[in-house]
Amino acid sequence: MHEHTQDYTLNGQVWRSDKTAAWQTSANAPTTITWSIATSNFSGEAYRFDGFLTGSVFVDAIRAAMDAWEAVAHIDLVETTDTNAVDIRIGYEAIDGRNGTLAQTVYWYARDTLIEAFIGFDTAEPWVSGAAAQGI
């Protein structure tokens, strides 16, 4: 099995209960962050998905990843119906073709307030899941 690593940039900001960015996690109760599987593009949004996730196995894998993230982070990730008011939206995007970047996150904030985030999985990748798969 090959081990792959990817460079990334981490700016250190987190969501707090008042949805403002902070450089360190708070000792307060976890922040509730909503997320959804995108079902459409909404007018007025700066980010546009090129496709939408429909496979239940893939969506289940994303739910498991959100559960794992929630277990180690000081946040409460709540799946919700897709609207333009959701904190994190997930879908497909044409990034760079096959065997390159698998996914990327785009987010906006104003001053110290996180506004929204989008996670796009590359449409050109051969996404598979299941017992015989080596990944999603």
Side-chain angles (χ1 to χ4, degrees):
M1 177 179 213
H2 295 89
E3 185 170 327
H4 299 280
T5 60
Q6 178 66 39
D7 293 336
Y8 64 92
T9 302
L10 183 64
N11 71 3
Q13 294 179 325
V14 298
W15 261 302
R16 293 192 311 206
S17 60
D18 58 1
K19 302 279 175 101
T20 59
W23 292 106
Q24 296 186 10
T25 59
S26 168
N28 298 332
T31 300
T32 298
I33 304 298
T34 58
W35 69 275
S36 67
I37 302 298
T39 57
S40 66
N41 288 310
F42 297 106
S43 64
E45 285 195 325
Y47 189 87
R48 311 286 292 168
F49 288 108
D50 295 313
F52 305 100
L53 305 170
T54 57
S56 63
V57 174
F58 194 26
V59 172
D60 288 345
I62 291 171
R63 286 184 181 120
M66 290 297 199
D67 289 344
W69 184 17
E70 182 180 64
V72 298
H74 193 65
I75 53 178
D76 181 22
L77 294 163
V78 177
E79 183 177 8
T80 187
T81 302
D82 189 44
T83 70
N84 61 352
V86 173
D87 296 313
I88 302 170
R89 298 182 66 225
I90 303 168
Y92 282 121
E93 121 180 68
I95 298 174
D96 64 355
R98 192 170 177 164
N99 298 325
T101 301
L102 300 176
Q104 66 181 6
T105 301
V106 177
Y107 62 94
W108 284 269
Y109 60 94
R111 301 180 96 200
D112 65 348
T113 303
L114 291 166
I115 306 296
E116 60 189 342
F118 299 87
I119 300 172
F121 290 91
D122 195 347
T123 57
E125 299 300 334
W127 298 105
V128 295
S129 185
Q134 294 183 359
I136 296 174

